[in-house]
Amino acid sequence: MNIKKLVAFVSAIALISLTMSSHAFAKNADNHAGILGMKKGDAMVFPMYLAADGFKTNMVVINTDNSHAVVAKVVVRSQAFSTELRDFFIYLSPNDVWKGELCYANGNIVVRSEDASVWNPATGECATAANPFEYALAPVICEDLDSLMYGYVEVFEAAAMNWAAIRDTDLDHCVNIRNAYEDLTQVETVNCLTGYGEYVFPGDYAVFPATVIAGYAVNDKLTTARETFWGDFALNSITEVEAVLSKDNLVFPYYNNGRDISIAALTFPTKLTRVNSDCEVMQVRSPFFVQHGEFGSVSIGDELISDSILGIKYNYDAYDMNEKAISECQVSPCIKGKRLPWEVNLIDPANDLGVAFEEGWSRISFGTTTQGADLDQNDMSYTGAPVIGMVVHLTHNGMSVDQMAYDCGEVYLGEIDKTLLNCVYQGGCRVTEVTCPTCPVCPVCDADHLCLCETEAACEAAGGNWCDGVCQAEECNGSPAPTCGPDNLDLCTNQTACETAGGNWCDDDEDGVFGCQPEECNGGGGGLPSCGPDNLNLCTSETTCEAAGGYWCPDEVIDCQPAACGSGSSTTIGEKTVTCGTTCFGNWTNPAFVQECSDWQAANCQ
Amino acid sequence: MLDIKGSWCQLLTGKGLFLGGSRITKFSSRVAESFNGKEVVLTILLTALMVSCAAAPDRRQIIYEPEIFKEAPMALEKAYSDYWEMRAKKQHANAYSNEVPDFRSAITPEQYSNYLKLFEKAKLAQVEPQGVTCPEEHICFVETALTYILNDKVSDVRYIRDSWEKRNGQWFHRIRNPLIFPGLDKCRKKTEVNKQ
């Protein structure tokens, strides 16, 4: 790498770090801060290559580890449907760098490398300038809609091996590492790869970073004979990969005047569409697209090419330099109108978004929540879209490339309580690091997480109610949990509450434990009167009154009456209705009223 | 600009500059292949080229083997030649007028000029058409090798599939760079419609 490229590379990293530094977040329970942006990892995506009109794209992969040799599988995929166009391995000794390019040559778009870190099957040796690794990309399946001119590239770390243990000084490094990899029976990986790309045009170039994922952890031997998909042969499911890439929105600056232009590139590397030669979409691997994708049609001229293109809708806002805004709609959330149909989508703010401002910024938003599962089939979900955003500017000063800013999607464990898994996020967007069993804050069934109780016994042990297979704090009929009252005297826990509820605070067993009961204290209730046909005046609730054959008359002095409310002779004493059934004693604080009641009953009742 | 005619003349007249012997070997091989190994044709062509050197040795233009365009539609050869001469001479406005109308309706001359400037940090020294295919009557592709010089050295040879479209009897060039000019890279524009 010459000085100019090194400066450009370091500048790109610094710029990205500065751009992203405001997005620092606590990534675990100990509040260890992390900074989003370029990291080292074990998987990478070059979000867009370009090999057209004199442009070529260089890819650079760096092994930053000084003790491990690394084998990585490089997969080139097409723009529209992720068709695998070429795959091959690179072999990196400690601190080694591999550089390759995608360019147009000899009537084909080819992947080419003179770097000795790639093995050249044509010669059976490591590649050299004289005998470069050069292979034409395979044709796309849907020729009308797909393209070889641009696409994206994945890099999967296949293995990291102790260099001291495998080193054979008689062999070229790439042969040495290749032989060692072929002998491997169990693979391990190290988060030591990073990389960047270059859009190269005659005399100059523009640098862009690769998106690096840490902790992906390939755990089975990758080969070129077997296509590699996200979520296969690794300790992360495709949902976990989507979670690490998930973004609620993307923000990018734009120029849109007669002189300067900007193009936004949005790549969905997990979509992995399968399409047939009739350009009909047969399958997508992405849970995000399975759950949120919408079919649309694509025509060329007047000819309908396909009516089964699975795209994703998005919302956007665009602002000028004075905070004037246009928007697809003004009410949030608003997801309508625009659609991204391909794996690599290019958006021209002027033509595709209808932005009339000459300069400003725009925000593309996704209002989705995707359900999925981790490798252990634990439910998980995330908000936003698994997308990589990049923006290219062409101005009078030349061409530049920048990553978009974004808000990370939120990742949750479980479909019910959506408890945030603070402990397991790593990388740009809080991806699980695949070792959830060791996570110190994974919630379990307890009083605060009743929804995680999976059995009736566990539910009740946690103080919940088991209702139709769900553990909840509320009673199963949906009413609030019962409390101390006339109908639940047994829930009264002190004398005041008991007596307020009409109960008696007793220790009939004389065991020192008091309880609230409807019966009078002493004698355990035997022989003492209680609510019944003969003692309606002792009934304290509508239920017990009616059960005893009485009438519940809450407006009268005695609530439970032997006759219908308001029937028979009655009078009013001290604002209370008195009938023949009224018990006069105890219903007034004024003794005169008690006497008046007794006198009235003596005069009017048999 | 170091034009190909000049360089061939220099090569053929013993003034060897630029790409040297390997260049002519490569060219000879390619021409021989295109004519099914009929070496006699190569001899004729080289002789004709030597003659043409004397006719216009100093004229700055893109020169190529006319046989390349033998099967191509009429007027494509001239359109191609004119266009690349404009590009080599950095005549942006003239080159712009030779781009397809739908491109010009979407891209301003200033934007186009910014784009062409990307290629001009290095000097376009040679344009070599290597083959023509025309999948449709009004669409042709010219496989082209572009040689650039930077700091007096060959910095790069870029191969492109140069696209041409015929509109109302006139051939127009089409820039095909989906990253810079998305939606304008196809000969026929894709239209996406949400499914009802």
Side-chain angles (χ1 to χ4, degrees):
Chain A
M1 185 184 300
N2 63 34
I3 294 297
K4 183 181 176 186
K5 291 186 178 181
L6 181 61
V7 169
F9 177 52
V10 172
S11 300
I13 294 175
L15 179 61
I16 292 162
S17 298
L18 285 171
T19 304
M20 301 302 180
S21 60
S22 61
H23 296 277
F25 63 93
K27 69 177 181 181
N28 61 27
D30 297 323
N31 279 339
H32 293 161
I35 293 179
L36 304 185
M38 203 165 187
K39 294 175 69 93
K40 294 184 291 185
D42 59 354
M44 273 191 286
V45 178
F46 293 95
M48 180 174 165
Y49 77 80
L50 174 67
D53 198 39
F55 276 66
K56 67 179 181 180
T57 302
N58 287 341
M59 302 166 288
V60 177
V61 179
I62 304 169
N63 175 13
T64 64
D65 196 279
N66 58 15
S67 62
H68 285 86
V70 167
V71 180
K73 183 178 179 181
V74 181
V75 183
V76 183
R77 293 192 182 277
S78 67
Q79 169 263 330
F81 301 118
S82 289
T83 300
E84 186 187 73
L85 305 175
R86 183 61 61 186
D87 62 343
F88 57 96
F89 284 99
I90 56 176
Y91 305 95
L92 299 161
S93 55
N95 304 315
D96 195 6
V97 180
W98 171 77
K99 189 168 192 173
E101 65 184 26
L102 284 152
C103 61
Y104 186 79
N106 302 319
N108 291 302
I109 294 176
V110 303
V111 57
R112 185 177 188 280
S113 177
E114 300 175 357
D115 193 303
S117 296
V118 65
W119 187 73
N120 187 353
T123 62
E125 298 175 342
C126 305
T128 64
N131 292 300
F133 173 94
E134 181 173 321
Y135 286 90
L137 300 185
V140 295
I141 296 172
C142 167
E143 293 183 351
D144 284 335
L145 300 180
D146 213 344
S147 175
L148 293 177
M149 286 197 296
Y150 65 121
Y152 67 99
V153 179
E154 302 160 331
V155 178
F156 300 97
E157 185 178 322
M161 298 174 285
N162 187 299
W163 182 234
I166 67 168
R167 182 78 177 101
D168 183 342
T169 54
D170 292 334
L171 297 176
D172 290 335
H173 287 181
C174 94
V175 175
N176 187 170
I177 300 167
R178 181 173 182 269
N179 291 347
Y181 180 66
E182 289 187 346
D183 292 339
L184 269 187
T185 56
Q186 190 170 355
V187 299
E188 295 178 357
T189 58
V190 174
N191 289 322
C192 61
L193 295 181
T194 190
Y196 62 97
E198 297 167 336
Y199 295 125
V200 185
F201 35 94
D204 212 345
Y205 54 88
V207 179
F208 64 94
T211 295
V212 182
I213 296 174
Y216 177 62
V218 165
N219 68 346
D220 199 358
K221 209 164 173 183
L222 303 183
T223 68
T224 53
R226 191 171 58 181
E227 187 168 356
T228 301
F229 301 107
W230 291 110
D232 287 351
F233 316 122
L235 290 180
N236 278 251
S237 69
I238 191 170
T239 304
E240 288 172 282
V241 176
E242 292 199 332
V244 74
L245 296 172
S246 68
K247 297 166 183 69
D248 288 334
N249 56 60
L250 295 157
V251 171
F252 63 96
Y254 65 81
Y255 301 103
N256 178 37
N257 54 57
R259 189 174 60 172
D260 305 327
I261 56 179
S262 302
I263 303 297
L266 300 176
T267 302
F268 294 90
T270 58
K271 188 177 179 185
L272 296 167
T273 305
R274 279 291 166 270
V275 69
N276 64 20
S277 57
D278 292 330
C279 300
E280 296 167 332
V281 172
M282 309 303 290
Q283 177 195 14
V284 292
R285 288 179 170 264
S286 160
F288 172 77
F289 278 91
V290 168
Q291 293 173 37
H292 307 295
E294 296 184 17
F295 285 103
S297 62
V298 178
S299 299
I300 296 180
D302 296 329
E303 182 185 2
L304 175 67
I305 303 299
S306 176
D307 63 356
S308 68
I309 304 301
L310 193 65
I312 187 71
K313 285 187 175 180
Y314 65 93
N315 182 32
Y316 72 91
D317 300 290
Y319 298 84
D320 70 356
M321 302 300 279
N322 298 304
E323 294 84 42
K324 292 180 207 164
I326 63 167
S327 170
E328 270 280 271
C329 50
Q330 300 296 328
V331 180
S332 177
C334 174
I335 308 296
K336 69 175 188 179
K338 301 300 181 183
R339 192 166 156 273
L340 300 169
W342 316 117
E343 262 80 327
V344 180
N345 302 273
L346 297 171
I347 297 175
D348 172 0
N351 292 321
D352 296 321
L353 303 184
V355 173
F357 307 133
E358 292 192 343
E359 184 179 355
W361 67 277
S362 183
R363 173 173 45 217
I364 290 174
S365 305
F366 304 90
T368 54
T369 298
T370 302
Q371 308 287 337
D374 67 10
L375 198 71
D376 298 323
Q377 297 306 308
N378 297 311
D379 291 331
M380 62 180 296
S381 61
Y382 65 87
T383 65
V387 62
I388 300 171
M390 199 167 68
V391 60
V392 177
H393 306 289
L394 176 64
T395 73
H396 59 289
N397 288 320
M399 177 178 163
S400 61
V401 187
D402 198 4
Q403 278 192 321
M404 292 185 187
Y406 51 83
D407 286 323
C408 287
E410 296 291 338
V411 183
Y412 302 99
L413 177 69
E415 290 182 308
I416 299 171
D417 74 337
K418 313 285 189 206
T419 301
L420 191 64
L421 261 184
N422 288 325
C423 66
V424 292
Y425 302 138
Q426 184 171 7
C429 279
R430 309 176 184 179
V431 73
T432 55
E433 202 187 14
V434 309
T435 54
C436 190
T438 64
C439 166
V441 297
C442 287
V444 297
C445 165
D446 58 25
D448 294 329
H449 299 91
L450 293 175
C451 55
L452 296 180
C453 303
E454 296 181 347
T455 67
E456 183 173 4
C459 176
E460 291 177 355
N465 297 293
W466 187 254
C467 310
D468 294 326
V470 175
C471 189
Q472 60 189 42
E474 297 78 17
E475 283 195 319
C476 293
N477 61 9
S479 61
T483 58
C484 166
D487 296 332
N488 296 288
L489 293 177
D490 57 331
L491 298 179
C492 303
T493 56
N494 60 60
Q495 184 173 359
T496 303
C498 176
E499 293 176 349
T500 301
N504 299 291
W505 188 247
C506 309
D507 180 17
D508 289 346
D509 297 330
E510 297 183 348
D511 60 359
V513 178
F514 284 78
C516 190
Q517 59 188 43
E519 301 84 6
E520 293 286 345
C521 296
N522 298 320
L528 291 175
S530 61
C531 167
D534 296 332
N535 295 288
L536 293 177
N537 59 321
L538 297 180
C539 301
T540 56
S541 72
E542 182 176 7
T543 303
T544 56
C545 172
E546 291 177 354
Y551 296 88
W552 186 249
C553 307
D555 293 333
E556 298 187 9
V557 173
I558 298 301
D559 293 335
C560 191
Q561 304 279 354
C565 302
S567 63
S569 300
S570 67
T571 186
T572 300
I573 300 172
E575 297 182 351
K576 294 187 178 182
T577 301
V578 174
T579 67
C580 292
T582 299
T583 298
C584 295
F585 181 77
N587 280 309
W588 291 272
T589 55
N590 185 342
F593 290 157
V594 177
Q595 187 61 52
E596 188 178 349
C597 172
S598 298
D599 293 346
W600 182 85
Q601 287 183 337
N604 296 282
C605 303
Q606 292 182 348
Chain B
M1 188 192 80
L2 177 59
D3 69 78
I4 189 172
K5 184 170 185 176
S7 67
W8 282 119
C9 292
Q10 289 164 337
L11 283 168
L12 295 171
T13 54
K15 297 178 181 177
L17 280 177
F18 194 35
L19 296 173
S22 63
R23 187 70 185 159
I24 196 166
T25 302
K26 185 177 179 183
F27 179 76
S28 302
S29 170
R30 189 174 296 117
V31 172
E33 284 173 10
S34 67
F35 288 90
N36 300 317
K38 295 178 180 175
E39 297 289 336
V40 63
V41 177
L42 174 62
T43 305
I44 295 170
L45 293 175
L46 293 177
T47 303
L49 191 54
M50 292 180 70
V51 171
S52 70
C53 292
D58 299 324
R59 187 180 172 198
R60 297 167 63 87
Q61 60 182 335
I62 308 297
I63 293 185
Y64 44 84
E65 177 48 58
E67 287 294 325
I68 291 290
F69 284 89
K70 188 175 73 172
E71 303 295 331
M74 294 284 289
L76 174 61
E77 178 182 346
K78 183 174 188 316
Y80 175 92
S81 172
D82 290 347
Y83 175 81
W84 280 105
E85 184 161 355
M86 295 169 199
R87 286 284 297 266
K89 292 178 178 176
K90 303 182 183 179
Q91 295 172 344
H92 297 176
N94 290 343
Y96 179 77
S97 65
N98 282 269
E99 300 291 350
V100 286
D102 64 284
F103 180 92
R104 282 183 279 128
S105 67
I107 303 298
T108 68
E110 292 79 10
Q111 292 166 343
Y112 180 73
S113 181
N114 285 341
Y115 180 71
L116 294 193
K117 286 176 185 171
L118 293 178
F119 298 87
E120 292 171 355
K121 291 187 178 177
K123 181 178 179 180
L124 178 58
Q126 181 170 292
V127 178
E128 182 184 357
Q130 299 179 326
V132 181
T133 55
C134 300
E136 296 179 30
E137 186 181 352
H138 61 287
I139 296 174
C140 288
F141 301 116
V142 184
E143 301 295 335
T144 301
L146 304 171
T147 301
Y148 290 90
I149 291 178
L150 187 63
N151 299 327
D152 296 328
K153 294 179 182 174
V154 173
S155 65
D156 223 334
V157 178
R158 292 297 173 89
Y159 298 92
I160 64 170
R161 174 170 287 179
D162 208 31
S163 299
W164 290 85
E165 292 176 41
K166 192 176 184 180
R167 303 286 175 86
N168 297 324
Q170 182 179 350
W171 285 98
F172 290 95
H173 184 257
R174 176 177 290 281
I175 295 275
R176 300 184 73 197
N177 188 324
L179 178 57
I180 307 296
F181 305 121
L184 299 172
D185 59 303
K186 296 274 185 182
C187 297
R188 294 178 296 164
K189 188 174 182 180
K190 285 188 290 188
T191 305
E192 296 146 20
V193 180
N194 291 346
K195 196 169 185 177
Q196 298 301 313

